[in-house]
Amino acid sequence: MSFFLLLIILSRSYVDIPTFNAPVDNTPQTPNLLQSIEIHGDLLFARYRDDYVLILSMDNSNSFIYDQSISIKYKNSSIPIDSILIYNQQLWICAGYIISIYDIHKQSKKTTFDLAMRKHFEGDQILTMLGMTNYVWAGSSCGNIYIFRMDNYELFETFNGHKDGVCCFCPMFDTQVISGSKKNDTSIIIWKNIDTGNFIENTRL
């Protein structure tokens, strides 16, 4: 199966929300829109509009097949997933005010995802993330940039400078990060590094 054909199939999926480690229910249900995909080794992660990430693995014929899914719920209620990040054998899922962090363990016939930490981040939602030099950069709906350590998952630093939600990151040479904000601000900021938090340039489009 070609990669582009796979994207078409995923984007037109009509699947019910599967439970963790359960087979996919292929009975047509309410459409659940594909939001983003990421490739990590031989795994493909598909983030859907509702509360789950679908994980497919590549078999011996180089086709992607269903492996498992991870669903995010809080007090038995579904929470739409805003962003995911796969970096340094960790899976970060941000849904509402909750950040769920999973350790990825690759075994001979199966990849497992063990919940390492679940953090409640009240008052702000994480819209986008970037993994860089053992830190996770997280852009929020309030225009803040939060930096977390990957070894203990603790908040390391908070930067501000945007006046609307941070919608994207771009790394530069492992020493600088560019962040961009949404339509009510439309600014681009180039950050020096995680130690100072000072920016080199702040440009509004």
Side-chain angles (χ1 to χ4, degrees):
M1 180 184 297
S2 71
F3 182 71
F4 293 107
L5 178 59
L6 174 65
L7 293 185
I8 294 173
I9 293 173
L10 286 171
S11 65
R12 295 180 179 176
S13 292
Y14 286 74
V15 296
D16 195 8
I17 297 174
T19 57
F20 184 66
N21 279 342
V24 171
D25 180 359
N26 290 318
T27 305
Q29 301 289 338
T30 303
N32 190 355
L33 298 180
L34 177 68
Q35 298 295 300
S36 66
I37 61 170
E38 291 196 35
I39 298 289
H40 182 78
D42 60 353
L43 297 176
L44 185 148
F45 297 79
R47 174 175 65 92
Y48 284 85
R49 180 186 61 190
D50 290 336
D51 67 347
Y52 70 92
V53 176
L54 194 66
I55 303 169
L56 295 88
S57 61
M58 184 177 292
D59 62 13
N60 294 331
S61 62
N62 294 326
S63 297
F64 282 101
I65 60 174
Y66 172 77
D67 187 282
Q68 57 189 289
S69 62
I70 296 177
S71 180
I72 303 298
K73 297 183 183 295
Y74 181 65
K75 295 182 178 179
N76 296 322
S77 298
S78 299
I79 306 175
I81 295 176
D82 299 302
S83 60
I84 65 172
L85 172 71
I86 303 97
Y87 181 69
N88 277 5
Q89 300 303 312
Q90 290 182 0
L91 169 63
W92 291 55
I93 302 177
C94 295
Y97 301 131
I98 298 174
I99 302 175
S100 301
I101 306 165
Y102 296 83
D103 288 329
I104 303 174
H105 298 288
K106 183 71 174 179
Q107 301 175 357
S108 57
K109 295 183 178 180
K110 186 73 173 179
T111 301
T112 61
F113 298 84
D114 299 327
L115 182 64
M117 176 72 70
R118 179 161 288 166
K119 302 173 69 71
H120 293 263
F121 209 70
E122 296 295 340
D124 208 355
Q125 292 179 258
I126 303 302
L127 303 181
T128 185
M129 291 182 288
L130 169 70
M132 187 173 178
T133 60
N134 296 316
Y135 292 88
V136 171
W137 292 62
S140 80
S141 58
C142 293
N144 298 319
I145 295 175
Y146 303 105
I147 299 180
F148 298 92
R149 293 177 51 161
M150 297 193 70
D151 57 350
N152 60 11
Y153 321 113
E154 294 299 320
L155 180 62
F156 178 74
E157 186 63 87
T158 302
F159 301 153
N160 54 60
H162 292 291
K163 298 181 180 179
D164 198 1
V166 179
C167 58
C168 58
F169 287 117
C170 180
M172 294 179 62
F173 312 114
D174 290 333
T175 58
Q176 299 168 359
V177 173
I178 301 174
S179 60
S181 61
K182 299 173 73 174
K183 62 180 182 180
N184 291 329
D185 182 35
T186 64
S187 64
I188 295 174
I189 299 179
I190 304 175
W191 303 94
K192 283 184 178 179
N193 55 54
I194 60 175
D195 296 321
T196 64
N198 298 325
F199 53 80
I200 299 173
E201 184 175 355
N202 187 346
T203 303
R204 281 181 168 77
L205 303 179

